[in-house]
Amino acid sequence: MEENLMLSNYGVTLHRLTHDKIEMLRQWRNDPKIQQYMFYKEYITPEMQERWFASLDPHCDYYYIIEYKGKEVGCVNIRAIDWETKTGEPGIFIYDDDCLNSDVGARANLCLKDFIWNELKLETLTIEVVRTNKRALKINRALGYHEIPLQPGDPEDKVRMIMTREDALKPNKLFDRLRKIFNQ
Amino acid sequence: MELNDFVAHFAEQFEDTDTTNFTGETDFRDNDEWSSLIGLSIIAMVDEVYDVVLKGDDIKNSKIIKDVYDIVCSRL
């Protein structure tokens, strides 16, 4: 995983996930405060984490540890990229309590989105959100995502959302202003 | 800058909360709607209306609306 090892903008640095960080990530991911908003809620063992990391395709799965003010605070990713359709599935969680409900998630989100639209040049992003995660639904709508119908077999508690490059290029009063503020 | 005007701008960032009783002494997290999105909206509002840059830590370290107002006043 030697491509795009580090992305830095808006006051955050994103470090591409390396093997020495997967145990920290596993512990974050198993914490109930994170697990409650994930569709996969089973405990993740070290072996499962090793298998997951080995399964990542460096050209299709980009996982980053978010560093803010010198501290590792969460994880952001674009995964399952289909290069034929130019689609991918982004995700983010903030683990550090000092950064929860702060501007750090937005900073990391904007940093990753620039990479997605300008470097990877994807056309469509799809996300799945747990319906009870009202905050995530609201912020994703504000970012420009909109809901699409569930697919057969989807659980009732899932919300599917999509954002196209066209959506992303539309003026966004809030996030266009935040881009400017975060770089001051 | 008047505190009442600031409270009104602050309250505009909420959509689902009854903000009619908001004052400078209101604990702005003491409602079901508070989220990072509202915090971001406040940062953007302060930049747009008052031309003052707030950091996430400014919001984090504030408890009541007047705490945020005082920070903005100190940077005008």
Side-chain angles (χ1 to χ4, degrees):
Chain A
M1 298 216 175
E2 293 180 356
E3 290 178 54
N4 303 296
L5 290 177
M6 196 170 82
L7 309 172
S8 194
N9 207 350
Y10 308 113
V12 294
T13 301
L14 310 182
H15 298 273
R16 191 114 189 227
L17 180 65
T18 47
H19 186 267
D20 59 317
K21 300 292 182 186
I22 68 171
E23 176 56 20
M24 175 182 73
L25 185 63
R26 185 184 75 87
Q27 291 182 18
W28 288 354
R29 180 61 179 75
N30 278 332
D31 191 303
K33 74 181 178 190
I34 302 299
Q35 191 187 52
Q36 65 176 322
Y37 294 122
M38 299 294 178
F39 287 104
Y40 186 81
K41 292 183 170 29
E42 302 303 316
Y43 180 79
I44 297 168
T45 65
E47 295 74 24
M48 291 161 74
Q49 187 77 342
E50 287 284 353
R51 284 198 297 274
W52 168 77
F53 186 71
S55 75
L56 297 179
D57 179 337
H59 300 295
C60 300
D61 302 303
Y62 293 76
Y63 281 79
Y64 291 91
I65 299 294
I66 303 164
E67 179 195 332
Y68 181 65
K69 294 185 176 176
K71 197 173 174 189
E72 293 164 326
V73 300
C75 179
V76 65
N77 67 273
I78 172 77
R79 60 175 292 276
I81 294 174
D82 181 329
W83 288 107
E84 283 190 17
T85 57
K86 293 190 174 179
T87 59
E89 301 174 12
I92 184 170
F93 70 77
I94 301 295
Y95 178 78
D96 188 274
D97 286 339
D98 287 340
C99 296
L100 277 174
N101 285 324
S102 76
D103 57 354
V104 177
R107 290 171 186 271
N109 212 317
L110 290 173
C111 188
L112 185 76
K113 288 288 163 49
D114 286 355
F115 174 60
I116 288 170
W117 302 124
N118 302 333
E119 304 296 326
L120 299 179
K121 300 188 187 302
L122 298 187
E123 291 294 331
T124 308
L125 302 180
T126 59
I127 56 172
E128 299 175 353
V129 182
V130 176
R131 190 172 294 280
T132 53
N133 192 352
K134 303 290 184 195
R135 289 188 170 94
L137 288 170
K138 216 165 183 174
I139 201 161
N140 282 312
R141 287 189 193 109
L143 279 164
Y145 284 94
H146 52 91
E147 286 184 40
I148 56 173
L150 290 176
Q151 294 177 359
D154 276 344
E156 292 280 314
D157 69 339
K158 180 184 283 187
V159 176
R160 286 184 180 273
M161 305 181 91
I162 191 170
M163 176 159 54
T164 64
R165 173 180 288 275
E166 194 180 346
D167 295 327
L169 292 176
K170 287 177 187 167
N172 183 316
K173 189 181 172 191
L174 173 60
F175 283 94
D176 290 347
R177 186 168 289 275
L178 290 173
R179 280 178 193 278
K180 184 197 81 174
I181 295 169
F182 289 161
N183 268 333
Q184 287 181 6
Chain B
M1 183 170 85
E2 293 292 327
L3 175 59
N4 287 345
D5 291 339
F6 186 80
V7 172
H9 285 303
F10 201 104
E12 284 170 5
Q13 312 313 313
F14 291 79
E15 291 177 0
D16 307 324
T17 303
D18 179 3
T19 59
T20 50
N21 292 325
F22 270 26
T23 69
E25 300 304 310
T26 298
D27 179 344
F28 55 82
R29 290 186 189 81
D30 188 19
N31 57 76
D32 292 336
E33 194 185 351
W34 174 258
S35 68
S36 60
L37 180 59
I38 295 180
L40 295 170
S41 301
I42 289 163
I43 290 171
M45 177 275 289
V46 167
D47 179 66
E48 181 179 5
V49 178
Y50 301 101
D51 198 23
V52 167
V53 173
L54 286 180
K55 302 287 185 189
D57 283 352
D58 296 325
I59 303 286
K60 192 181 93 180
N61 296 331
S62 297
K63 181 171 173 60
I64 59 175
I65 297 175
K66 189 172 179 302
D67 292 337
V68 184
Y69 170 81
D70 287 341
I71 293 170
V72 175
C73 286
S74 72
R75 293 180 188 167
L76 282 173

